[in-house]
Amino acid sequence: MLDIASVVRVHVDALIVAQNHAVVCDAIARNAPVRKPVAMSAPHMPKVAGIDSAVPAPAHTVAPLDESPGAPVILIQDRLAGWVSDLTTLHELTERLARTGSVDAALNEVVRAGAALVGSSRGLVVLEPAARADEHIPSTSVGLGLSHADLGQLETVPRGASSYGRLLDDTAEPAAAAESVGDVLGDPDLDPLHREVALRLGYSATYAVSLATGTAGRIGVAVWFYDEPAEPVERQRHLVGLYARYAAEHLARLLELETARAREATIAGELLLPSRLPRVPGVRLAVRHRTSGYGGGDWYDALPLPEGALGLAVGSVSGTGPSALAAMGRLRASLRAYAVMEGEDPVAVLSDLELLLRLTEPARSATALFAYAEPALRKIVLAGAGHAPPLIVGERRTVFVETTLSAPLGMLSCWEAPSVELSPAPGETVLLYTDGLLRRTGDPMDRAYARLHAAAASVPRSLRGDPGAVADHVLRVVLPDGAGPGAPSVGGANGSGEDVVILAALFE
């Protein structure tokens, strides 16, 4: 692992000594008799700020001395100033990267910082870590100055025809760390499709670096594009190489963390949530559960009750991680027991649940909604504790159920709220959902509710007979950026760290 502190630390004592030497040399030069200059060898500079002065050699080769006596002094000062400037820039960029807490944010920072180091305005980072046998990690691409259409065109170029593709497929030991193509269009052996894409996107040169660590190996590649034939100088290559080493280590840590979170959420979903929904005459059920990757406490349940009744529940436990998952599992198991004993009275069910939470989890709160449904009568009695109101979706109406405002469980010394009764018409779907659906929009709550209502009202008539299709349509419209079917999300900005649950019940 790269020690960034040693790379970017400037030794003040060394700089002071160098400046003192410069002053002495300047005084000697001024007082020395005029004579023919003697050829001097390149001075051997000490290591400054953790960078070996001998690497790279071309960047530190001493130019022929000027006839003026102060030339060596000026050379030393300019060289030290250049090192300090480069290290200050590197320190600022690595600090910005260290503050990123998600893979997406880190990728965006890497492509932006790399562009600044190599003097480019467009770039691309391809994250393609090697997956273990028991998991699947999809590849991710993040562009700078490139639209989604541009990224799609770049993907059509054969991997072996592009610099970053060759780095991704390189299996040599040791693997190449970088590849520069100073004139893409001037290559007579350039792949015709690559030439077409380069002309269409308007780039003439590329510089790619590998993102690799000692333990995880190569996890991706970063490439930057130039509008004219060009190559980064040796100094730029050295700096972006140092930055890429740190970026690879940081990305590998974030990948490991998010993979562990996703695995934890998957295990929780398999063990703590229903493996399948019950079949009850007169109603069809569907559920969509999107985990955040942080082990959130959103949950749902559907259980058959005596006399053909059905219990439906959704809820959310405060907090994230293993403790929230454990609390969620205990609440769901307790609610099932209370529902079997007194399910026809949702207020009693939630009151018992609130007492259990207050006694066993005094530092935790939870929202919950429990509905006692009688499909044969198309009748629902429900009660909620600080939870979002259900939404009825049908041919003639799309309305939120008017429920009484109530506090979440565990917030008051004695929870109490009245129940609400509703009668869905044949063909109408009742949507129960968690507030993660609203928070993931990133909008204020009033706008999020309006967005949800508009999404439900826009369900095509051909889909209204399928509760799963209704839930999928609502997810696609409310959360168009990746919360559709089969697309679990990982943490990030704009509420993407929230779990989402939609439980749809279509009454026949």
Side-chain angles (χ1 to χ4, degrees):
M1 177 178 174
L2 178 63
D3 185 2
I4 290 299
S6 65
V7 173
V8 301
R9 186 180 299 116
V10 176
H11 296 288
V12 179
D13 293 339
L15 291 178
I16 293 175
V17 171
Q19 290 176 351
N20 291 337
H21 289 173
V23 173
V24 172
C25 291
D26 193 12
I28 294 174
R30 285 198 303 270
N31 297 312
V34 178
R35 58 184 177 181
K36 184 178 180 180
V38 179
M40 297 179 63
S41 60
H44 179 70
M45 294 299 299
K47 290 185 178 181
V48 177
I51 291 184
D52 190 350
S53 59
V55 179
H60 303 300
T61 301
V62 179
L65 292 179
D66 196 352
E67 293 295 330
S68 60
V73 178
I74 297 175
L75 182 64
I76 293 173
Q77 291 175 338
D78 289 346
R79 186 173 296 171
L80 289 176
W83 283 340
V84 172
S85 176
D86 290 344
L87 294 175
T88 301
T89 300
L90 188 62
H91 173 73
E92 292 174 353
L93 294 178
T94 52
E95 283 291 313
R96 289 179 57 129
L97 180 60
R99 288 194 293 268
T100 58
S102 68
V103 171
D104 287 341
L107 290 176
N108 280 284
E109 179 60 28
V110 167
V111 69
R112 187 202 64 80
L117 289 173
V118 301
S120 173
S121 59
R122 293 186 291 174
L124 169 69
V125 176
V126 180
L127 193 63
E128 200 172 277
R132 299 188 326 184
D134 60 341
E135 64 186 12
H136 172 66
I137 303 177
S139 60
T140 304
S141 299
V142 173
L144 173 69
L146 299 170
S147 65
H148 288 291
D150 295 339
L151 295 177
Q153 292 186 41
L154 288 171
E155 290 179 357
T156 64
V157 178
R159 288 171 68 107
S162 63
S163 58
Y164 65 92
R166 288 189 290 270
L167 285 179
L168 285 171
D169 292 340
D170 186 13
T171 57
E173 293 293 341
E179 181 171 334
S180 178
V181 181
D183 188 0
V184 173
L185 300 178
D187 182 4
D189 299 326
L190 184 65
D191 182 85
L193 184 56
H194 190 185
R195 183 181 301 274
E196 179 183 347
V197 172
L199 289 171
R200 189 175 302 162
L201 299 185
Y203 65 86
S204 299
T206 63
Y207 183 72
V209 296
S210 177
L211 300 174
T213 69
T215 55
R218 179 178 287 111
I219 61 174
V221 166
V223 59
W224 295 276
F225 305 94
Y226 296 90
D227 297 338
E228 301 293 338
E231 290 189 61
V233 299
E234 192 68 27
R235 165 182 154 272
Q236 292 173 315
R237 297 186 186 193
H238 186 59
L239 286 176
V240 79
L242 292 174
Y243 182 81
R245 287 167 56 192
Y246 175 74
E249 296 286 353
H250 184 66
L251 285 169
R253 288 193 299 270
L254 291 178
L255 275 173
E256 184 178 357
L257 179 61
E258 293 194 356
T259 301
R261 287 170 173 169
R263 190 182 302 117
E264 178 185 85
T266 300
I267 294 174
E270 294 175 352
L271 299 180
L272 302 178
L273 295 175
S275 58
R276 61 184 181 85
L277 297 174
R279 294 185 177 182
V280 177
V283 64
R284 284 188 289 159
L285 302 176
V287 67
R288 297 295 182 264
H289 183 207
R290 301 290 175 257
T291 59
S292 66
Y294 286 89
D298 286 17
W299 55 276
Y300 66 91
D301 205 351
L303 66 156
L305 296 175
E307 300 179 359
L310 176 68
L312 302 174
V314 291
S316 178
V317 175
S318 62
T320 58
S323 62
L325 292 173
M328 176 262 285
R330 288 191 292 268
L331 281 183
R332 174 178 168 265
S334 301
L335 184 138
R336 292 177 71 90
Y338 299 145
V340 170
M341 294 186 295
E342 48 191 3
E344 66 279 0
D345 187 356
V347 173
V349 172
L350 293 185
S351 296
D352 292 341
L353 198 64
E354 193 275 337
L355 179 61
L356 174 71
L357 182 68
R358 186 153 44 88
L359 294 177
T360 60
E361 304 272 354
R364 195 179 298 277
S365 63
T367 67
L369 187 146
F370 178 73
Y372 179 79
E374 297 176 274
L377 303 177
R378 288 195 299 277
K379 175 184 175 182
I380 298 177
V381 180
L382 62 87
H387 205 81
L391 182 60
I392 300 178
V393 182
E395 291 285 348
R396 299 184 178 181
R397 61 173 179 170
T398 300
V399 296
F400 288 104
V401 177
E402 295 185 3
T403 58
T404 304
L405 292 176
S406 59
L409 303 177
M411 297 292 290
L412 302 177
S413 58
C414 182
W415 178 88
E416 186 176 355
S419 60
V420 177
E421 183 175 324
L422 60 142
S423 299
E428 288 188 333
T429 299
V430 178
L431 295 181
L432 310 182
Y433 53 93
T434 59
D435 59 0
L437 178 64
L438 305 171
R439 297 184 185 279
R440 273 209 196 186
T441 63
D443 295 333
M445 293 305 288
D446 56 342
R447 293 184 182 180
Y449 275 115
R451 190 168 174 176
L452 173 58
H453 184 275
S458 66
V459 175
R461 179 175 299 179
S462 60
L463 301 180
R464 294 184 183 272
D466 182 357
V470 173
D472 290 337
H473 177 85
V474 169
L475 276 175
R476 282 194 299 268
V477 176
V478 176
L479 305 175
D481 297 328
S489 173
V490 293
N494 295 331
S496 61
E498 298 279 347
D499 286 5
V500 173
V501 170
I502 295 182
L503 180 59
L506 172 64
F507 287 81
E508 299 174 336

